Amino acid sequence: MKTVLLFLAGVLGLAAAPPAPAQTTPYRIETVASGLDHPWSLAFLPDGRLLVTERAGRLRLIEPGTDGRLQLRSEPVAGVPPVLARGQSGLFEVLPDPDFARNRRIVLSYAHGQPQANHLRVASARLEGTRLLDVKPLFTSLPAKAETQHFGGRMAWLPDGTLVFGMGDGNLDRTDAQRLHTHLGKFMRIGADGSVPADNPFTGRSGALPEIWSVGHRNPQGLVVAGGVVYAHEHGARGGDELNRLRPGANYGWPVVTGGIDYTYARVTPFQTLPGMEPPLLQWTPSIAPAGMAWYDGALFPAWRGSLMVAALKERSVRRVPMADPARGPVGAQELLFRELGERIRDVRAGPDGALWLLTDSPQGRVLRVVPATP
Amino acid sequence: MKTVLLFLAGVLGLAAAPPAPAQTTPYRIETVASGLDHPWSLAFLPDGRLLVTERAGRLRLIEPGTDGRLQLRSEPVAGVPPVLARGQSGLFEVLPDPDFARNRRIVLSYAHGQPQANHLRVASARLEGTRLLDVKPLFTSLPAKAETQHFGGRMAWLPDGTLVFGMGDGNLDRTDAQRLHTHLGKFMRIGADGSVPADNPFTGRSGALPEIWSVGHRNPQGLVVAGGVVYAHEHGARGGDELNRLRPGANYGWPVVTGGIDYTYARVTPFQTLPGMEPPLLQWTPSIAPAGMAWYDGALFPAWRGSLMVAALKERSVRRVPMADPARGPVGAQELLFRELGERIRDVRAGPDGALWLLTDSPQGRVLRVVPATP
């Protein structure tokens, strides 16, 4: 009974106190760029420039000006493929190729098609100066979906050079997340050329789409590789936001297992755990709405080294999830950061400069840089 | 759509024709014993005697008479522990110890307790002449259940000398079959002395009962080890009877996955398959109500060698499930045997004499012996 009450209190948002703000390294927050329309993803190029996506379909460059200070280039990058931008759909992730310094290629994820028949698409392109050339679609989700919600869209490179990315359940028939004939509610793994790796877990299974890498996700919007381990988080409905360790072929349970309930307060499933399905490393109930994630191991904030940083929309925060060892998962209390901004945080990144970078989710979104306060 | 119609036709019993009776070795059926009250399990002792359980709680001996012919001893075996006999509950399986010739021990499974608070119990005893001595409970299921249905009760020895047995879901809250704090809807594995093997799959998991060996069973009433492989079958509700290959720690899905629907025609679950759950080797829809199983590899019926024999209550048959190799599972068409009896078959056994033995499920149940017809 106690468990039930705690659970209900949790999903209803009555009792679950956020962790107390811990004493942390003093920091200050600089605005690097502003006026961005729902910036979604930030990437650092080895030449010192940055790329940032706007959900409406623009890819923007941030580059050092004549004074050496970073500034947003007013003209968007040319050559971005057409994007379906409506509701939650649009241009999502930008990710430089691991070999960008040599091949100047990036990958983009975005919604493609019409509102009533749309797809998650991943494409590769070459960035020449301020334009994209040689755009090649690598992946188009199947089948077409009729809602412009729950796209997922985050991507990461595995150490073997393959690309992993997540797709949401589409928010129409949530059981699609458990069905192997659709990409909805799955993570996928493909080669940098769009090929399907022969060692994908469902390759060769009759009726299964071979790109599928893991199963049973609701709407994953955080993905990072740390210490060889693939971490992902996903939005629950009312409660049940999850941080997971992804393993090929594993089932993360949605909608058969969840720590949350429906937006209507209806029960989604009788199960919070099931043998054969992967339990989350941790969950957030009430929902914080996790929307991006970084692994921080930089020099500027020694106290934050070895932490996952989780950007949260609803909680308007970044959750710092400390780890003693990335191969072993979270340990200790989470730290709640940047609540003073009062901003929905869409993405968080660890820069090559050792700073922590944030994107605020708003029609007037900003790129923020967090550096140690100089006393 | 075709699939849906076939599925519905199947569960409604409209279309699924049983396999055509194949040409088989001619046989004749002898009655060895009769007048048994719902005989449930048959066992062969190395001294030439047989044990048979009656569900009402009696253990009977069949022994060679002065003329050498087998006959039912009129007095039941003394010393059988008290049994709860109501509805589906009662005395279930009798199984000689692998070392019976030396230690004369047997194990029994039975319902124990009161109708509103009952358990599946497994006990060991020594058979001295016509009485049981030194009765030792080895296992009592937890928690108490309040329905006298879905006990499971079949047992088998693994090659390592441990005992595996199945328990049904109790037919009250079917989700218990997925919850590790209860024995309902699981197979268990224990030592011959009732100890818990250290290598059981959920040993040491917080909140899990350590005897659990596999998960997600509705009501398993067939269990046999052939070629080192553990085969089990279980009753579905309306359709979805299953034959499974059991593996430690695996989840067989009930009630999250099933090929059947509810007795009410309501859908039990949207899933007939789920990643992370074991699909059946085969299923029977409409239900045949499988209630016992043997591995036949005897000399008297060469055409039947290398087959699972499945006793069916509802279909009033034995299904012969041929295998080329017991390690690889069923191949080819099933053969429908003994329909001419018109009897519900509760158990089927392969005798040391090479014959096939049957128990008919009735208040006037019989022990039958199937031998080749002499032309």
Side-chain angles (χ1 to χ4, degrees), chain A residues 175-176 178-180 202 205 215 249-251 255-256 267 270-277, chain B residues 175-176 178-180 202 205 215 249-251 255-256 267 270-277:
Chain A
T175 70
D176 284 336
Q178 291 291 333
R179 305 198 189 272
L180 295 173
F202 301 107
R205 182 182 298 200
V215 175
N251 188 336
V256 181
R267 193 168 76 162
F271 301 108
Q272 290 188 262
T273 175
L274 274 179
M277 302 208 175
Chain B
T175 68
D176 285 335
Q178 292 290 332
R179 306 199 189 274
L180 295 173
F202 300 107
R205 183 183 297 201
V215 175
N251 189 338
V256 181
R267 193 167 77 163
F271 302 107
Q272 291 189 260
T273 175
L274 274 179
M277 302 207 175

Side-chain angles (χ1 to χ4, degrees), chain A residues 15 42 98 105 136-137 165 174 210 223 227 233 238 250 260 283 297 304 306 310 313 347-348 354:
Chain A
L42 181 71
R105 296 202 75 88
K136 293 192 259 194
F165 55 93
R174 49 180 57 160
L223 181 65
H233 60 55
R238 188 180 294 277
Q283 58 165 294
D297 207 29
W304 294 351
V310 176
L313 296 169
D347 200 8
V348 55

